[in-house]
Amino acid sequence: ELAFLQFPWRLLSVEAVVLSLAIALALHRLPIPGRSPLVACTLAIVLSAAASAWAITQFRQPCELSDAPRQRAALFHTGHGVPPTDEYTPADADNDVLRWGNPSFWLSSTPSGFAPGTIPNPAATIVNYDVPPPVTQTIAGIAPRHLVLHLTRPEILILNLRDFPSWRVTRNGVLIPNHLRRDDGLLAVDLPAGDSTVDVRWHRTWDQLLGDAITLLALLLWAALLRRSRTIRIWTA
């Protein structure tokens, strides 16, 4: 549960240094005549990565005690939610509209319908509202991944789950390609009357597959360079 708490720049600031050293090692193994430009390029890469890491530590906002991993882990075990962050919110979603105490799912006649009995988020109408919600209002239901419904009329199913592109929703084994848009970014689909078996599954998107392909190519290139380096050492010996 704590994976989403680590903002991307925290991880990238560490990976930037590792990537710079890896690039330097890769360039060092290439048979380039004259090492001076190569040394200068390597130093420039390492220094730029170090400068980036230093800039982050100098200008980033420090983490509050209530946001520390141990406190957040304890909060998860109580069943209470945490305020959403813009870094991990769907592109068209507004965190100020999202209500704190949503159930796991509900049915509505309109895509924008809120769950019955929930309290509106004050941030939706009050500018620069920054007051923590009462603890009693932050218990939200976990959206089911498998749901069986019998509807007497067409309804809109709304899950207490942010509609990220990796979520795939099927009804009776058939993919529902179009999700309905909501201001709070929750996942909503249109269901016809009758029996519906709804399944929600996470799948890998094209950008993840592309990242895997780039990683595989990088490993193959590294193996080829390593093999070539060993071959050159054998011949020179």
Side-chain angles (χ1 to χ4, degrees):
E1 294 90 349
L2 300 179
F4 81 99
L5 295 174
Q6 302 302 317
F7 294 133
W9 54 260
R10 294 179 180 173
L11 179 61
L12 292 178
S13 62
V14 179
E15 289 187 339
V17 180
V18 179
L19 178 61
S20 298
L21 293 176
I23 294 175
L25 291 174
L27 293 176
H28 181 71
R29 293 179 180 274
L30 295 178
I32 302 177
R35 293 291 181 176
S36 297
L38 181 59
V39 172
C41 179
T42 302
L43 290 176
I45 294 175
V46 174
L47 289 177
S48 63
S52 300
W54 176 84
I56 289 175
T57 59
Q58 293 297 316
F59 297 104
R60 72 174 179 87
Q61 182 178 355
C63 181
E64 298 180 359
L65 180 61
S66 59
D67 294 332
R70 179 173 297 178
Q71 282 73 12
R72 288 294 180 177
L75 182 61
F76 270 111
H77 291 298
T78 64
H80 294 273
V82 297
T85 58
D86 293 333
E87 289 84 355
Y88 298 98
T89 300
D92 297 331
D94 186 358
N95 289 329
D96 294 336
V97 181
L98 184 66
R99 297 190 175 185
W100 302 322
N102 285 326
S104 58
F105 73 95
W106 66 93
L107 299 174
S108 175
S109 58
T110 61
S112 59
F114 292 102
T118 55
I119 300 175
N121 191 337
T125 55
I126 302 176
V127 179
N128 297 328
Y129 184 83
D130 193 21
V131 179
V135 178
T136 56
Q137 298 180 15
T138 58
I139 299 181
I142 300 176
R145 302 296 186 269
H146 178 78
L147 193 61
V148 178
L149 299 172
H150 176 75
L151 305 178
T152 58
R153 66 172 186 268
E155 296 273 11
I156 294 175
L157 172 64
I158 303 170
L159 300 175
N160 192 31
L161 185 69
R162 287 298 180 91
D163 190 9
F164 292 103
S166 293
W167 288 120
R168 299 184 64 181
V169 183
T170 59
R171 173 187 176 270
N172 299 336
V174 179
L175 177 67
I176 302 178
N178 298 323
H179 299 177
L180 304 178
R181 185 188 178 281
R182 289 176 53 90
D183 291 338
D184 55 13
L186 294 180
L187 198 158
V189 293
D190 198 359
L191 297 179
D195 295 328
S196 294
T197 300
V198 179
D199 290 288
V200 182
R201 297 290 183 268
W202 186 267
H203 79 289
R204 300 181 68 82
T205 54
W206 67 268
D207 56 328
Q208 293 175 308
L209 297 176
L210 179 61
D212 293 339
I214 294 176
T215 302
L216 179 60
L217 290 176
L219 290 175
L220 294 176
L221 178 60
W222 174 79
L225 291 175
L226 183 62
R227 181 178 180 181
R228 179 175 180 178
S229 175
R230 289 181 178 178
T231 303
I232 292 177
R233 288 180 183 178
I234 293 175
W235 279 101
T236 55

